[in-house]
């Protein structure tokens, strides 16, 4: 399946030392990509790097740590990837945080932190990647959104706003960069069982609501996101641009 072969392509996945980002990075590596892992916790990033090197070989994995919310740091991070690893062909903007509190009690500083981490980072890192990709006439950018790009529920107002912003940032990037050979799309996961959502899985009432509200009658897994990510990173999606692919077990398709 040559359309989905990523052999020799360099892929940076932000926030990939654990969870969804790490699973997507592994999926891209399984398809042949050379992976650049990213994280802010040095111990966790080191452990992920060692695990990937053991599995795929030291020559097919690198790691970089930089603040995705800082413009200068993002520019330096992308420059280091290109200098030390090679031409960046694939960027997955996955870094993100959650903050659960009613909006009437939400500290503006926490609002700003969520928006910066989830949305502004995708703009900053995506822009730096595009500066390199556009002159070469090729590149794939995948932004990680959420079902909260279209839906909302109480206590996660900042997160919901950030993921709605990811949806339209993806469209804005497409409007400006598609003519230069870039494909920019988003994956919108449903409720995925990760360390970040473990407390929700453990809540019997919430767990029952999720399984009842989702036509597939289960939580998603990080493995469910790998196929869509590989497709959007590959030549198989060369005429797909500005789209949000919902990977949610049907949640957003029903009332």
């Amino acid at each position: 399946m040559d359309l989905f072969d990523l052999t020799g392509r360099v892929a940076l996945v932000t926030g990939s030392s654990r969870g969804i980002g790490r699973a997507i990075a592994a999926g891209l590596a399984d398809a042949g990509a050379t992976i650049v892992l990213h994280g802010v916790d040095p111990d966790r990033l080191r452990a992920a790097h060692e695990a990937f090197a053991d599995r795929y070989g030291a020559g097919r994995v690198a790691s970089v740590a930089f603040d995705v919310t800082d413009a200068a740091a993002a520019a330096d991070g992308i420059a280091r990837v290109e200098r030390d690893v090679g031409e960046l062909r694939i960027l997955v903007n996955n870094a993100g945080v959650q903050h659960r509190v009613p909006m009437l009690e939400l500290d503006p500083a926490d609002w700003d932190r969520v928006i910066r981490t989830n949305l502004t980072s995708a703009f900053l890192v995506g822009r730096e990647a595009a500066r390199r990709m556009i002159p070469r006439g090729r590149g794939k950018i995948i932004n990680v959104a959420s079902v909260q790009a279209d839906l909302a529920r109480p206590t996660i107002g900042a997160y919901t706003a950030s993921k709605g912003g990811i949806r339209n940032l993806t469209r804005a990037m497409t409007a400006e960069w598609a003519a230069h050979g870039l494909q920019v799309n988003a994956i919108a996961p449903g409720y995925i069982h990760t360390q970040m959502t473990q407390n929700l899985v453990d809540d019997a009432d919430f767990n029952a609501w999720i399984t009842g509200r989702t036509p597939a009658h289960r939580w998603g897994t990080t493995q469910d996101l790998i196929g869509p990510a590989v497709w959007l990173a590959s030549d198989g999606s060369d005429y797909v641009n500005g789209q949000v692919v919902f990977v949610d077990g049907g949640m957003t398709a029903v009332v």
Side-chain angles (χ1 to χ4, degrees):
M1 298 293 288
D2 290 345
L3 277 178
F4 307 103
D5 183 5
L6 304 180
T7 298
R9 302 184 188 188
V10 174
L12 167 64
V13 184
T14 66
S16 50
S17 62
R18 65 177 179 178
I20 287 173
R22 181 165 174 165
I24 289 175
L28 298 179
D30 286 336
T34 295
I35 297 299
V36 183
L37 299 168
H38 166 272
V40 293
D41 183 313
D43 292 334
R44 194 162 60 218
L45 181 59
R46 187 179 307 109
H49 186 135
E50 291 173 356
F52 271 64
D54 287 344
R55 180 173 176 179
Y56 300 107
R60 287 188 51 210
V61 59
S63 58
V64 62
F66 62 90
D67 182 354
V68 293
T69 70
D70 180 270
D76 180 67
I78 294 298
R80 278 188 283 154
V81 171
E82 294 250 335
R83 181 188 67 233
D84 299 337
V85 186
E87 172 189 323
L88 183 61
R89 290 285 300 273
I90 302 158
L91 168 66
V92 181
N93 281 312
N94 168 74
V97 295
Q98 178 61 284
H99 186 77
R100 296 183 176 90
V101 65
M103 280 195 291
L104 292 180
E105 302 167 18
L106 180 60
D107 189 316
D110 287 320
W111 167 276
D112 290 342
R113 178 175 60 88
V114 173
I115 297 297
R116 282 198 314 272
T117 306
N118 294 1
L119 177 57
T120 305
S121 69
F123 159 65
L124 294 175
V125 182
R127 179 173 66 173
E128 293 306 322
R131 292 189 199 280
R132 307 300 183 110
M133 294 173 173
I134 285 172
R136 297 190 288 248
R138 62 187 184 185
K140 303 278 187 173
I141 296 176
I142 303 168
N143 298 321
V144 178
S146 165
V147 288
Q148 264 70 48
D150 271 7
L151 304 176
R153 58 179 301 271
T155 76
I156 56 170
Y159 183 86
T160 301
S162 72
K163 294 304 184 178
I166 285 289
R167 175 190 58 202
N168 275 2
L169 175 64
T170 299
R171 293 169 176 171
M173 288 174 166
T174 293
E176 298 196 18
W177 301 340
H180 301 284
L182 276 62
Q183 289 82 50
V184 186
N185 295 285
I187 293 173
Y191 282 83
I192 306 296
H193 187 175
T194 66
Q195 183 179 351
M196 187 175 176
T197 59
Q198 185 61 53
N199 62 324
L200 300 177
V201 176
D202 293 338
D203 182 323
D205 290 338
F206 191 85
N207 183 66
W209 179 78
I210 288 294
T211 56
R213 175 68 177 79
T214 305
H217 297 301
R218 67 172 177 88
W219 285 74
T221 71
T222 55
Q223 296 299 302
D224 291 320
L225 303 173
I226 290 174
V230 169
W231 170 56
L232 291 176
S234 75
D235 294 345
S237 60
D238 277 355
Y239 201 55
V240 180
N241 231 320
Q243 301 304 305
V244 180
V245 180
F246 285 86
V247 187
D248 63 0
M251 175 176 276
T252 53
V254 301
V255 295

